[in-house]
Coordinates of all heavy atoms in Angstrom, one line a residue:
Y9 N -0.4 -7.0 7.1 CA -0.5 -6.0 8.1 C 0.5 -6.2 9.2 O 1.2 -5.3 9.6 CB -2.0 -6.0 8.6 CG -2.3 -5.0 9.7 CD1 -2.5 -3.7 9.4 CD2 -2.3 -5.4 11.0 CE1 -2.8 -2.8 10.4 CE2 -2.6 -4.5 12.0 CZ -2.8 -3.2 11.7 OH -3.1 -2.3 12.7
N10 N 0.5 -7.4 9.8 CA 1.4 -7.7 10.9 C 2.9 -7.6 10.5 O 3.7 -7.1 11.4 CB 1.0 -9.0 11.5 CG -0.3 -9.0 12.2 OD1 -0.7 -8.0 12.7 ND2 -0.9 -10.1 12.3
I11 N 3.2 -8.0 9.3 CA 4.6 -7.9 9.0 C 5.1 -6.5 8.9 O 6.3 -6.2 9.2 CB 4.8 -8.7 7.6 CG1 6.3 -8.9 7.4 CG2 4.3 -7.9 6.4 CD1 6.6 -9.9 6.3
F12 N 4.3 -5.6 8.5 CA 4.6 -4.1 8.5 C 4.7 -3.6 9.9 O 5.7 -2.8 10.2 CB 3.7 -3.3 7.7 CG 3.8 -3.6 6.2 CD1 2.9 -4.4 5.6 CD2 4.8 -3.0 5.5 CE1 3.0 -4.7 4.2 CE2 4.9 -3.2 4.1 CZ 4.0 -4.1 3.5
R13 N 3.8 -4.0 10.8 CA 3.9 -3.6 12.2 C 5.1 -4.1 12.9 O 5.8 -3.3 13.6 CB 2.6 -4.0 12.9 CG 1.3 -3.6 12.4 CD 1.0 -2.2 12.6 NE 0.8 -2.0 14.0 CZ 0.4 -0.9 14.6 NH1 0.1 0.1 13.8 NH2 0.2 -0.8 15.8
Q14 N 5.5 -5.3 12.6 CA 6.7 -5.9 13.1 C 8.0 -5.1 12.7 O 9.0 -5.0 13.4 CB 6.9 -7.3 12.8 CG 5.8 -8.2 13.5 CD 5.8 -9.6 13.0 OE1 6.5 -10.0 12.0 NE2 5.0 -10.5 13.6
A15 N 7.9 -4.6 11.5 CA 9.0 -3.8 10.9 C 9.0 -2.3 11.4 O 9.7 -1.5 10.9 CB 9.0 -3.9 9.4
K16 N 8.0 -2.0 12.3 CA 7.8 -0.7 12.8 C 7.4 0.3 11.8 O 7.8 1.5 11.8 CB 9.1 -0.2 13.5 CG 9.6 -1.2 14.6 CD 9.6 -0.6 15.9 CE 10.3 -1.5 17.0 NZ 9.6 -2.6 17.4
I17 N 6.6 -0.1 10.8 CA 6.0 0.7 9.8 C 4.6 0.9 10.1 O 3.8 0.0 10.3 CB 6.2 0.1 8.4 CG1 7.7 0.0 8.1 CG2 5.5 0.9 7.3 CD1 7.9 -0.8 6.8
R18 N 4.2 2.2 10.2 CA 2.8 2.5 10.5 C 1.9 2.2 9.3 O 2.1 2.6 8.2 CB 2.7 4.0 10.8 CG 1.3 4.4 11.3 CD 1.3 5.9 11.7 NE 2.1 6.7 10.9 CZ 1.6 7.8 10.2 NH1 0.3 8.1 10.4 NH2 2.3 8.5 9.5
V19 N 0.9 1.4 9.5 CA 0.0 1.0 8.5 C -1.5 1.1 9.0 O -1.7 1.1 10.2 CB 0.2 -0.5 8.1 CG1 1.5 -0.6 7.4 CG2 0.1 -1.5 9.2
D20 N -2.4 1.1 8.0 CA -3.8 1.2 8.3 C -4.5 0.4 7.2 O -4.1 0.4 6.1 CB -4.3 2.7 8.3 CG -5.7 2.8 8.8 OD1 -6.2 1.9 9.5 OD2 -6.3 3.8 8.5
M21 N -5.5 -0.3 7.6 CA -6.3 -1.1 6.6 C -7.7 -0.5 6.5 O -8.3 -0.1 7.5 CB -6.5 -2.5 7.1 CG -5.2 -3.3 7.1 SD -5.4 -5.1 7.3 CE -6.6 -5.2 8.6
D22 N -8.1 -0.4 5.3 CA -9.5 0.1 5.0 C -10.3 -1.2 4.5 O -10.1 -1.5 3.3 CB -9.5 1.1 3.9 CG -10.9 1.7 3.7 OD1 -11.9 1.2 4.1 OD2 -10.9 2.8 3.0
I23 N -11.1 -1.8 5.3 CA -11.8 -2.9 5.0 C -13.3 -2.6 4.8 O -14.2 -3.5 4.9 CB -11.6 -4.1 6.0 CG1 -12.0 -3.6 7.4 CG2 -10.2 -4.6 5.9 CD1 -12.0 -4.8 8.4
T24 N -13.6 -1.4 4.5 CA -15.0 -1.0 4.3 C -15.4 -1.5 2.9 O -14.7 -2.0 2.1 CB -15.1 0.6 4.3 OG1 -14.3 1.1 3.2 CG2 -14.7 1.2 5.6
S25 N -16.7 -1.4 2.7 CA -17.3 -1.9 1.5 C -17.2 -0.9 0.3 O -17.8 -1.2 -0.8 CB -18.8 -2.3 1.7 OG -19.5 -1.2 2.1
D26 N -16.5 0.2 0.5 CA -16.3 1.2 -0.6 C -15.5 0.5 -1.7 O -14.8 -0.4 -1.6 CB -15.5 2.4 0.0 CG -16.2 3.1 1.0 OD1 -17.5 3.1 1.0 OD2 -15.5 3.7 1.9
T27 N -15.7 1.1 -2.9 CA -15.0 0.6 -4.1 C -13.5 0.9 -4.0 O -13.1 1.8 -3.2 CB -15.5 1.2 -5.4 OG1 -15.2 2.6 -5.4 CG2 -17.0 1.0 -5.6
V28 N -12.7 0.1 -4.7 CA -11.2 0.3 -4.6 C -10.9 1.7 -5.2 O -10.0 2.4 -4.6 CB -10.5 -0.8 -5.4 CG1 -9.0 -0.5 -5.6 CG2 -10.7 -2.1 -4.8
S29 N -11.6 2.1 -6.3 CA -11.2 3.4 -6.9 C -11.5 4.6 -5.9 O -10.8 5.5 -5.8 CB -12.0 3.6 -8.2 OG -13.4 3.5 -8.0
Y30 N -12.6 4.4 -5.1 CA -12.9 5.4 -4.0 C -11.8 5.4 -3.0 O -11.4 6.5 -2.6 CB -14.3 5.1 -3.4 CG -14.5 6.1 -2.2 CD1 -15.0 7.4 -2.5 CD2 -14.3 5.7 -0.9 CE1 -15.2 8.2 -1.4 CE2 -14.6 6.5 0.1 CZ -15.0 7.8 -0.1 OH -15.3 8.7 0.9
K31 N -11.3 4.2 -2.6 CA -10.3 4.2 -1.6 C -9.0 4.8 -2.1 O -8.3 5.4 -1.4 CB -10.1 2.7 -1.2 CG -11.3 2.1 -0.4 CD -11.0 0.6 -0.1 CE -12.2 0.0 0.5 NZ -12.0 -1.4 0.9
V32 N -8.7 4.6 -3.4 CA -7.5 5.1 -4.0 C -7.6 6.7 -4.0 O -6.7 7.4 -3.6 CB -7.3 4.6 -5.4 CG1 -6.2 5.4 -6.1 CG2 -6.9 3.1 -5.3
R33 N -8.8 7.2 -4.4 CA -8.9 8.7 -4.4 C -8.8 9.2 -3.0 O -8.2 10.3 -2.8 CB -10.3 9.0 -5.0 CG -10.4 8.9 -6.5 CD -11.7 9.5 -7.0 NE -12.9 9.1 -6.4 CZ -13.6 8.0 -6.7 NH1 -13.3 7.3 -7.7 NH2 -14.8 7.7 -6.1
K34 N -9.3 8.5 -2.0 CA -9.3 8.9 -0.6 C -7.8 9.0 -0.2 O -7.4 9.9 0.5 CB -10.1 8.0 0.3 CG -10.1 8.3 1.7 CD -11.0 7.3 2.4 CE -10.8 7.4 3.9 NZ -11.6 6.4 4.6
A35 N -7.0 8.0 -0.5 CA -5.6 7.9 -0.1 C -4.8 9.1 -0.8 O -4.0 9.7 -0.2 CB -5.0 6.6 -0.5
I36 N -5.1 9.4 -2.0 CA -4.5 10.5 -2.8 C -4.8 11.8 -2.1 O -3.9 12.6 -1.9 CB -4.9 10.5 -4.2 CG1 -4.3 9.3 -5.0 CG2 -4.5 11.8 -4.9 CD1 -4.8 9.1 -6.3
K37 N -6.1 12.0 -1.7 CA -6.5 13.2 -1.1 C -5.8 13.4 0.3 O -5.5 14.5 0.7 CB -8.0 13.2 -0.9 CG -8.6 14.5 -0.4 CD -10.1 14.4 -0.4 CE -10.7 15.7 0.1 NZ -12.2 15.6 0.2
E38 N -5.6 12.3 1.0 CA -5.0 12.3 2.3 C -3.5 12.5 2.2 O -2.8 12.7 3.3 CB -5.2 11.1 3.1 CG -6.7 10.9 3.5 CD -7.0 9.7 4.3 OE1 -6.0 8.9 4.7 OE2 -8.2 9.4 4.5
K39 N -2.9 12.5 1.0 CA -1.5 12.8 0.7 C -0.6 11.8 1.5 O 0.4 12.2 2.1 CB -1.1 14.2 1.0 CG -1.8 15.2 0.2 CD -1.4 16.6 0.4 CE -2.2 17.6 -0.5 NZ -1.8 18.9 -0.3
L40 N -1.0 10.5 1.5 CA -0.2 9.5 2.1 C 1.1 9.3 1.3 O 1.0 9.4 0.0 CB -0.9 8.2 2.1 CG -2.2 8.2 2.9 CD1 -3.0 6.9 2.7 CD2 -2.0 8.5 4.4
P41 N 2.2 9.1 1.9 CA 3.5 8.9 1.1 C 3.4 7.7 0.2 O 3.9 7.7 -0.9 CB 4.6 8.8 2.2 CG 3.9 8.8 3.5 CD 2.5 9.1 3.3
Y42 N 2.9 6.6 0.7 CA 2.7 5.4 0.0 C 1.3 4.8 0.3 O 0.9 4.9 1.5 CB 3.7 4.3 0.4 CG 5.2 4.7 0.1 CD1 6.0 5.2 1.0 CD2 5.7 4.4 -1.2 CE1 7.3 5.6 0.8 CE2 7.0 4.7 -1.5 CZ 7.8 5.3 -0.5 OH 9.1 5.6 -0.8
F43 N 0.7 4.2 -0.6 CA -0.4 3.3 -0.3 C -0.4 2.1 -1.2 O 0.1 2.1 -2.3 CB -1.7 4.1 -0.4 CG -2.2 4.5 -1.7 CD1 -3.0 3.7 -2.5 CD2 -1.8 5.8 -2.2 CE1 -3.3 4.2 -3.8 CE2 -2.2 6.2 -3.5 CZ -2.9 5.4 -4.3
G44 N -1.0 1.1 -0.7 CA -0.9 -0.2 -1.4 C -2.3 -0.9 -1.4 O -3.1 -0.6 -0.6
V45 N -2.5 -1.7 -2.4 CA -3.7 -2.5 -2.6 C -3.3 -3.9 -2.6 O -2.4 -4.3 -3.3 CB -4.4 -2.1 -3.9 CG1 -5.7 -3.0 -4.0 CG2 -4.8 -0.7 -3.9
I46 N -4.0 -4.7 -1.8 CA -3.7 -6.1 -1.7 C -5.1 -6.8 -2.0 O -6.0 -6.7 -1.2 CB -3.2 -6.6 -0.3 CG1 -1.9 -5.9 0.0 CG2 -3.0 -8.1 -0.3 CD1 -1.4 -6.1 1.4
G47 N -5.1 -7.5 -3.1 CA -6.3 -8.3 -3.6 C -5.9 -9.7 -3.7 O -4.8 -10.2 -3.2
K48 N -6.8 -10.5 -4.3 CA -6.5 -11.9 -4.5 C -5.2 -12.2 -5.2 O -4.5 -13.1 -4.8 CB -7.7 -12.6 -5.2 CG -9.0 -12.6 -4.4 CD -10.1 -13.3 -5.2 CE -11.4 -13.2 -4.4 NZ -12.5 -13.8 -5.2
K49 N -5.0 -11.5 -6.3 CA -3.8 -11.7 -7.1 C -2.5 -11.4 -6.2 O -1.5 -12.2 -6.3 CB -3.8 -10.8 -8.3 CG -2.6 -10.9 -9.2 CD -2.7 -10.0 -10.4 CE -1.5 -9.1 -10.5 NZ -1.6 -8.1 -11.5
E50 N -2.5 -10.3 -5.5 CA -1.4 -10.0 -4.7 C -1.2 -11.0 -3.6 O 0.0 -11.3 -3.2 CB -1.6 -8.6 -4.1 CG -1.5 -7.5 -5.1 CD -2.7 -7.2 -5.9 OE1 -3.8 -7.8 -5.5 OE2 -2.7 -6.4 -6.8
I51 N -2.2 -11.5 -3.0 CA -2.1 -12.5 -1.9 C -1.4 -13.8 -2.5 O -0.5 -14.4 -1.9 CB -3.5 -12.8 -1.3 CG1 -3.9 -11.7 -0.5 CG2 -3.4 -14.1 -0.4 CD1 -5.3 -11.8 0.0
Q52 N -1.9 -14.2 -3.7 CA -1.3 -15.4 -4.3 C 0.2 -15.2 -4.7 O 1.0 -16.2 -4.5 CB -2.1 -15.7 -5.6 CG -3.4 -16.3 -5.4 CD -4.2 -16.5 -6.7 OE1 -3.8 -16.0 -7.8 NE2 -5.3 -17.2 -6.6
N53 N 0.6 -14.0 -5.0 CA 2.0 -13.7 -5.5 C 2.8 -13.2 -4.3 O 4.0 -12.9 -4.5 CB 2.0 -12.7 -6.6 CG 1.3 -13.3 -7.8 OD1 1.3 -14.5 -8.1 ND2 0.8 -12.4 -8.7
N54 N 2.2 -13.0 -3.1 CA 2.9 -12.4 -2.0 C 3.5 -11.1 -2.3 O 4.7 -10.8 -2.1 CB 4.0 -13.4 -1.5 CG 4.5 -13.1 -0.1 OD1 3.7 -12.6 0.7 ND2 5.7 -13.3 0.2
T55 N 2.7 -10.2 -3.0 CA 3.1 -8.9 -3.4 C 2.1 -7.9 -3.0 O 1.1 -8.2 -2.4 CB 3.2 -8.8 -5.0 OG1 1.9 -9.1 -5.5 CG2 4.2 -9.8 -5.5
I56 N 2.4 -6.6 -3.2 CA 1.6 -5.5 -3.0 C 1.6 -4.6 -4.2 O 2.6 -4.4 -4.8 CB 2.1 -4.6 -1.8 CG1 2.0 -5.5 -0.5 CG2 1.2 -3.4 -1.6 CD1 2.6 -4.8 0.7
S57 N 0.4 -4.1 -4.6 CA 0.3 -3.1 -5.6 C 0.5 -1.7 -4.9 O -0.3 -1.3 -4.2 CB -1.0 -3.2 -6.3 OG -1.1 -2.2 -7.4
L58 N 1.7 -1.1 -5.1 CA 2.1 0.0 -4.4 C 2.1 1.3 -5.2 O 2.6 1.2 -6.4 CB 3.5 -0.2 -3.8 CG 4.1 0.9 -2.8 CD1 3.4 0.8 -1.5 CD2 5.5 0.7 -2.7
R59 N 1.7 2.4 -4.7 CA 1.8 3.7 -5.4 C 2.4 4.7 -4.4 O 2.0 4.8 -3.3 CB 0.4 4.2 -5.8 CG 0.6 5.4 -6.7 CD -0.8 6.0 -7.2 NE -1.5 5.0 -8.0 CZ -2.6 5.3 -8.6 NH1 -3.2 6.5 -8.4 NH2 -3.3 4.4 -9.3
K60 N 3.4 5.4 -5.0 CA 4.0 6.5 -4.2 C 3.3 7.8 -4.5 O 2.8 8.0 -5.6 CB 5.5 6.6 -4.7 CG 6.3 7.6 -3.9 CD 7.8 7.5 -4.3 CE 8.5 8.6 -3.5 NZ 10.0 8.6 -3.8
R61 N 3.2 8.7 -3.5 CA 2.5 10.0 -3.7 C 3.1 10.7 -4.9 O 4.3 10.8 -5.0 CB 2.6 10.8 -2.4 CG 1.9 12.1 -2.5 CD 1.8 12.9 -1.3 NE 3.2 13.3 -0.9 CZ 3.6 13.6 0.3 NH1 2.7 13.6 1.3 NH2 4.8 14.0 0.6
G62 N 2.2 11.2 -5.7 CA 2.6 12.0 -6.8 C 2.8 11.2 -8.1 O 2.9 11.7 -9.2
E63 N 2.8 9.9 -7.9 CA 3.0 9.0 -9.1 C 1.6 8.6 -9.7 O 0.6 8.6 -8.9 CB 3.7 7.7 -8.7 CG 5.1 7.9 -8.2 CD 6.1 8.3 -9.2 OE1 6.0 7.8 -10.4 OE2 7.0 9.1 -8.9
K64 N 1.5 8.3 -10.9 CA 0.2 7.9 -11.6 C 0.1 6.4 -11.7 O -1.0 5.9 -11.9 CB 0.2 8.5 -13.0 CG 0.2 10.0 -13.0 CD -1.1 10.7 -12.5 CE -1.0 12.2 -12.7 NZ -2.1 12.8 -12.0
R65 N 1.2 5.7 -11.6 CA 1.1 4.2 -11.8 C 1.4 3.5 -10.5 O 2.2 3.9 -9.7 CB 2.1 3.9 -12.8 CG 1.9 4.6 -14.1 CD 3.0 4.3 -15.1 NE 2.4 3.3 -16.1 CZ 3.1 2.6 -16.9 NH1 4.4 2.8 -17.0 NH2 2.5 1.8 -17.7
D66 N 0.8 2.3 -10.4 CA 1.1 1.4 -9.4 C 2.3 0.5 -9.8 O 2.5 0.2 -11.0 CB -0.1 0.5 -9.1 CG -1.3 1.2 -8.6 OD1 -1.1 2.4 -8.2 OD2 -2.4 0.7 -8.6
I67 N 3.0 0.0 -8.8 CA 4.1 -0.9 -9.0 C 3.8 -2.2 -8.2 O 3.6 -2.0 -7.0 CB 5.5 -0.3 -8.6 CG1 5.8 0.9 -9.4 CG2 6.6 -1.3 -8.8 CD1 7.0 1.7 -8.9
E68 N 3.9 -3.3 -8.8 CA 3.7 -4.6 -8.0 C 5.1 -4.9 -7.4 O 6.0 -5.1 -8.2 CB 3.1 -5.7 -8.9 CG 2.7 -6.8 -8.0 CD 1.9 -7.8 -8.8 OE1 1.0 -7.4 -9.6 OE2 2.0 -9.0 -8.6
M69 N 5.2 -5.1 -6.1 CA 6.4 -5.3 -5.5 C 6.3 -6.4 -4.4 O 5.2 -6.6 -3.8 CB 7.0 -4.1 -4.7 CG 7.3 -2.9 -5.6 SD 7.9 -1.5 -4.7 CE 9.5 -2.1 -4.2
K70 N 7.3 -7.2 -4.2 CA 7.3 -8.2 -3.1 C 7.3 -7.4 -1.8 O 7.8 -6.3 -1.6 CB 8.6 -9.0 -3.2 CG 8.7 -9.9 -4.4 CD 7.8 -11.1 -4.2 CE 8.0 -12.1 -5.4 NZ 7.0 -13.1 -5.4
I71 N 6.7 -8.1 -0.8 CA 6.5 -7.4 0.5 C 7.8 -7.0 1.1 O 7.9 -5.9 1.6 CB 5.7 -8.3 1.4 CG1 4.2 -8.5 0.9 CG2 5.7 -7.8 2.9 CD1 3.4 -9.4 1.6
D72 N 8.8 -7.9 1.1 CA 10.1 -7.5 1.6 C 10.7 -6.3 1.0 O 11.4 -5.5 1.6 CB 11.0 -8.7 1.6 CG 10.6 -9.9 2.5 OD1 9.9 -9.6 3.4 OD2 11.0 -11.0 2.2
D73 N 10.5 -6.2 -0.3 CA 11.1 -5.1 -1.1 C 10.4 -3.8 -0.7 O 11.0 -2.7 -0.6 CB 10.9 -5.3 -2.6 CG 11.8 -6.4 -3.1 OD1 12.8 -6.8 -2.4 OD2 11.5 -6.9 -4.2
V74 N 9.1 -3.8 -0.4 CA 8.3 -2.7 0.0 C 8.8 -2.2 1.4 O 9.0 -1.0 1.6 CB 6.8 -3.0 0.1 CG1 6.0 -1.8 0.7 CG2 6.3 -3.2 -1.3
I75 N 9.0 -3.2 2.3 CA 9.5 -2.8 3.6 C 10.9 -2.2 3.5 O 11.1 -1.1 4.1 CB 9.6 -4.1 4.5 CG1 8.1 -4.5 4.8 CG2 10.3 -3.8 5.8 CD1 8.0 -5.9 5.5
S76 N 11.8 -2.7 2.7 CA 13.1 -2.1 2.5 C 13.0 -0.7 1.9 O 13.7 0.2 2.4 CB 13.9 -3.0 1.6 OG 14.2 -4.2 2.2
L77 N 12.1 -0.5 1.0 CA 12.0 0.8 0.4 C 11.5 1.8 1.4 O 12.0 2.9 1.4 CB 10.9 0.7 -0.8 CG 10.5 2.0 -1.4 CD1 11.7 2.6 -2.3 CD2 9.3 1.8 -2.3
I78 N 10.5 1.5 2.2 CA 9.9 2.4 3.1 C 10.9 2.7 4.2 O 11.1 3.9 4.7 CB 8.6 1.9 3.7 CG1 7.6 1.9 2.6 CG2 8.1 2.7 4.9 CD1 6.3 1.2 3.0
Q79 N 11.7 1.7 4.7 CA 12.6 1.9 5.7 C 13.8 2.8 5.3 O 14.4 3.5 6.0 CB 13.1 0.6 6.3 CG 12.1 -0.1 7.2 CD 12.5 -1.4 7.7 OE1 13.4 -2.1 7.1 NE2 11.9 -1.9 8.8
K80 N 14.1 2.7 4.0 CA 15.2 3.4 3.4 C 14.9 4.9 3.3 O 15.7 5.8 3.5 CB 15.6 2.9 2.0 CG 16.8 3.4 1.4 CD 17.4 2.7 0.2 CE 16.3 2.3 -0.7 NZ 16.9 1.7 -2.0
N81 N 13.6 5.2 3.1 CA 13.2 6.6 3.0 C 12.8 7.1 4.3 O 12.6 7.7 5.0 CB 12.0 6.7 2.0 CG 12.5 6.5 0.6 OD1 13.6 6.7 0.2 ND2 11.6 5.9 -0.2

């Protein structure tokens, strides 16, 4: 969270007890340009499971690569 804020990227965290699938559907409905999921696996690998609006698949990316991608667009 903080690394994105330092890069001047607007982020929001959903730490509610809702299921991940519900949170994904909510993000799709809100038409967010990108949304990511960070779980135990992603924390261990220092990655984010990222999905771009309109895409059906998630891509696991390093955090620095995600920041570069978002800043480029």
Side-chain angles (χ1 to χ4, degrees):
Y9 178 82
N10 289 332
I11 194 166
F12 289 100
R13 301 287 292 189
Q14 291 170 354
K16 307 243 187 286
I17 297 172
R18 185 172 43 119
V19 294
D20 189 19
M21 289 190 321
D22 185 347
I23 57 171
T24 62
S25 61
D26 296 330
T27 65
V28 173
S29 60
Y30 174 79
K31 292 175 185 184
V32 168
R33 286 193 308 272
K34 183 178 168 186
I36 291 169
K37 187 176 180 180
E38 291 179 11
K39 297 184 179 179
L40 300 172
Y42 296 95
F43 67 90
V45 176
I46 302 174
K48 290 179 185 178
K49 180 180 128 187
E50 289 83 10
I51 290 171
Q52 289 175 346
N53 296 332
N54 199 32
T55 60
I56 296 175
S57 180
L58 185 75
R59 186 181 297 183
K60 186 175 179 180
R61 183 174 61 201
E63 300 286 326
K64 300 283 185 196
R65 305 177 99 192
D66 297 344
I67 302 170
E68 192 168 322
M69 298 179 69
K70 294 283 185 188
I71 292 174
D72 293 337
D73 294 338
V74 172
I75 290 172
S76 295
L77 174 70
I78 293 171
Q79 288 178 335
K80 190 167 39 170
N81 292 325

